């Protein structure tokens, strides 16, 4: 009996000893800032408080201002637009690429490697390369290319400098950079599907296309859900591309939630206001996660 | 005989279509990378701009050489930024895998009362976006006097709920019997982690290292907030500064970008089998 208590105690001690480092860091650098963020969102806190001012409790004032001013709404709309285009397009493209490289053709590993390589290139570098490709006027490569393949019908666009196209230009190269990652996860999902299912349906006379819709897609459901959730959350964090190329412009057309949070909190030093944006951002991400998890649960049962 | 011949023709035609599609995407993915690397060797800045309106952008054209690279090394301390990025990324990973995996081991394999609170709390934290925390965190590290140090770019990232979760999932699957046997042999609980669990868990360590390396190496938001001068500035931020100041100096910009990219690209090419396998393994579960 005594040895048993001893053994348990030893286990409990070891558990605490091994948890402590990570726990302390999480507490100090996640929990504390999270609480600060909620608290500051109700105050007029500045990054550097002017000497004649002290931190005052404002109640819901910051939230009221967020709803009154246009910035937050514009940023929310841009972020949603970005996610609503990028998530389906990137997921579909990733699946297509995965199907293409899921074969035993010669050089297939070479293609797989090249399709994946943009993932390891830092987003700052990717943004810079694409800003040259997307250069305005007929000298820009993308403009010149589109004009060539349409025999001159395409009018050169200013891409990143035009409020109608800037966000779409960012979507384009964001997908270019990220799609290889989802492709690999889809590929793993494809290779996980039992060959028997294809053989059985083949014997039943199913065509390749029928097999895709009745075998491949249903079997990939969990993989797809995983990819959709992670891509959505990534899309919501759009920031680097905006910081490097557009700073939210032209005319707020690329202003995103995270960029707004950054510019209010850091550039304008309004910690209180920025924290309120952060809290709302968190609630939105939380809501999306919950909705997506609920939807997948329903699907699984059905 | 004839039937087999027809099937063969059909097969070949399918393969041709397949290769056409593969090559189409190959061009899309490789061209921007080729553009970066080739332009970094084009010594005439105006040449680079002129080439952009045609296929020349992706071909060697005009005087080629290392002048841009020399410029980058002369005009700025590339080596410093590079070392900074390496120090920050490597330290975060090394300390991070220890902290995260130890915590995950305690949660997955040890019995202790607080586990039933800590586990759900940790999983809930996965959803909290780091971006939400960054501004209050800036205030906090400012108070701690950590602005403009390596520490501020390392310490907050050495515990990461998502990585803890990946470790936890993996450890949970390892059979309990190996632990019981080791206990009978007189091993301590920490000894089991070090001598039995760790050697069995190489795949999950590889995944975490890769995710962590990509995230840390490319991060720009946190360095923008917490660095002031060039002393501890990492590559992405230095890259952005160069791009903002010398917007049209494309040769230098691409030389810098190539040097920032190639080490990671080479590492990926060397370890691509493990790289791709471990990324694949995180998605299949569930």
């Amino acid at each position: 009996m005594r040895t048993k208590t001893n053994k348990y105690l030893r286990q409990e001690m070891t558990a605490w000893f091994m948890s402590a480092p990570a726990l302390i860091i999480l507490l100090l650098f996640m929990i504390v800032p999270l609480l600060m963020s909620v608290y500051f969102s109700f105050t007029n806190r500045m990054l550097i408080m002017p000497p004649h001012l002290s931190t005052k409790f404002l109640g819901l004032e910051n939230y009221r201002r967020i709803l009154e001013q246009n910035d937050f709404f514009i940023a929310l709309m841009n972020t949603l637009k970005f996610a609503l285009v990028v998530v389906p397009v990137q997921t579909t493209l990733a699946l297509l690429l995965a199907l293409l490289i899921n074969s035993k053709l010669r050089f297939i590993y070479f293609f797989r490697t090249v399709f994946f390589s943009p993932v390891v290139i830092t987003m700052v570098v990717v943004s810079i390369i694409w800003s040259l490709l997307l250069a305005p006027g007929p000298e820009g490569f993308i403009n010149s290319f589109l004009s060539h393949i349409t025999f001159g019908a395409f009018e050169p666009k200013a891409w990143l400098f035009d409020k109608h196209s800037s966000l779409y230009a960012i979507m384009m190269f964001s997908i270019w950079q990220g799609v290889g990652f989802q492709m690999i996860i889809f590929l793993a999902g494809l290779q996980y599907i039992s060959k028997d299912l294809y053989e059985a349906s083949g014997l039943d006379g199913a065509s390749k296309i029928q097999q895709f819709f009745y075998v491949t897609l249903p079997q990939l459901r969990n993989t797809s859900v995983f990819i959709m959730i992670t891509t959505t959350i990534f899309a919501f964090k759009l920031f680097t591309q905006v910081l490097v190329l557009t700073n939210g412009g032209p005319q707020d057309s690329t202003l995103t939630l995270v960029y707004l949070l950054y510019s209010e909190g850091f550039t304008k030093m309004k910690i209180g206001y920025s924290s309120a944006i952060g809290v709302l951002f968190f609630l939105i991400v939380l809501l999306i996660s919950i909705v997506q998890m609920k939807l997948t649960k329903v699907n699984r049962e059905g | 005989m004839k039937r087999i011949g027809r099937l063969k023709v059909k097969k070949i035609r399918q393969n041709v279509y397949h290769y056409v599609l593969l090559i189409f995407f190959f061009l899309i993915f490789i061209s921007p990378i080729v553009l970066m690397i080739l332009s970094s060797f084009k010594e005439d800045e105006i040449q680079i701009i002129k080439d952009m309106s045609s296929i020349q952008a992706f071909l060697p054209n005009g005087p080629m050489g290392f002048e841009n690279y020399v410029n980058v090394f002369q005009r700025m301390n590339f080596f410093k930024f590079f070392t900074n990025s390496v120090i920050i990324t490597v330290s975060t990973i090394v300390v991070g895998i220890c902290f995260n995996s130890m915590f995950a081991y305690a949660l997955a394999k040890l019995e202790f009362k607080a586990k039933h609170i800590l586990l759900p709390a940790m999983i809930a934290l996965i959803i909290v976006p780091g971006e939400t925390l960054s501004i209050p965190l800036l205030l906090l590290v400012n108070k701690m006097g950590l602005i403009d140090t390596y520490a501020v770019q390392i310490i907050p990232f050495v515990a990461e709920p998502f990585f803890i979760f990946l470790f936890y999932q993996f450890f949970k699957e390892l059979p309990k019997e190996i632990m019981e046997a080791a206990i009978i042999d007189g091993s301590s609980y920490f000894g089991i982690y070090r001598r039995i669990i760790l050697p069995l868990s190489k795949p999950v360590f590889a995944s975490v290292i890769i995710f962590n390396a990509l995230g840390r190496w490319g991060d720009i938001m946190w360095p923008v907030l917490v660095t002031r001068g060039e002393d501890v500035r990492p590559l992405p931020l230095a890259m952005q500064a160069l791009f903002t100041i010398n917007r049209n100096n494309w040769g230098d910009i691409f030389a810098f970008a190539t040097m920032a990219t190639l080490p990671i690209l080479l590492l990926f090419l060397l370890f691509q089998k493990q790289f791709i396998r471990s990324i694949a393994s995180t998605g299949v579960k569930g």
Side-chain angles (χ1 to χ4, degrees), chain B residues 1-179:
Chain B
M1 207 51 209
K2 211 172 167 192
R3 199 180 130 79
I4 291 173
R6 237 198 351 251
L7 272 177
K8 214 170 183 183
V9 170
K10 197 181 162 202
K11 186 87 198 153
I12 289 171
R13 202 167 51 205
Q14 266 179 2
N15 284 353
V16 169
Y17 290 146
H18 202 145
Y19 275 118
V20 167
L21 275 174
L22 284 170
I23 289 167
F24 170 75
F25 283 111
F26 165 78
L27 289 174
I28 290 180
F29 285 110
I30 202 84
S31 309
I33 303 173
V34 171
L35 170 77
M36 170 181 77
I37 297 174
L38 271 181
S39 305
S40 74
F41 292 107
K42 290 183 180 170
E43 298 198 328
D44 184 358
E45 303 280 352
I46 296 162
Q47 182 83 50
I48 299 175
I49 305 283
K50 260 200 288 189
D51 286 352
M52 282 315 291
S53 58
S54 69
I55 199 77
Q56 296 289 2
F58 310 101
L59 300 169
N61 192 21
M64 306 285 286
F66 285 93
E67 198 191 289
N68 297 318
Y69 288 85
V70 176
N71 275 345
V72 168
F73 279 109
Q74 270 173 358
R75 287 195 199 144
M76 69 196 91
N77 207 340
F78 177 84
F79 193 68
K80 177 86 191 146
F81 302 133
F82 188 82
T83 325
N84 288 344
S85 270
V86 172
I87 291 173
I88 293 162
T89 308
V90 172
S91 322
T92 312
I93 290 174
V94 170
V95 181
I97 53 174
C98 296
F99 284 16
N100 291 326
S101 67
M102 287 198 312
F103 187 27
Y105 167 74
L107 290 175
K109 287 286 178 233
L110 300 181
E111 282 309 321
F112 66 122
K113 281 183 211 112
K115 177 162 129 176
H116 309 289
I117 306 162
L118 292 178
L119 184 61
M122 194 274 303
I123 289 173
L125 279 182
I126 295 176
I127 303 175
V128 179
E131 288 77 1
T132 305
L133 308 176
S134 54
I135 299 293
L137 195 55
L138 170 64
L139 196 75
L140 194 72
V141 295
N142 197 15
K143 282 253 166 72
M144 292 169 156
L146 285 174
I147 293 294
D148 229 2
T149 58
Y150 287 129
V152 75
Q153 299 180 73
I154 297 168
I155 299 169
F157 303 98
V158 295
E160 165 62 52
F162 177 60
F163 298 152
I164 296 169
F165 182 69
L166 287 183
F167 280 122
Y168 169 81
Q169 258 192 330
F170 191 90
F171 296 159
K172 194 90 191 145
E173 303 285 308
L174 297 174
K176 245 198 145 79
E177 291 74 39
I178 48 170
M179 284 191 72

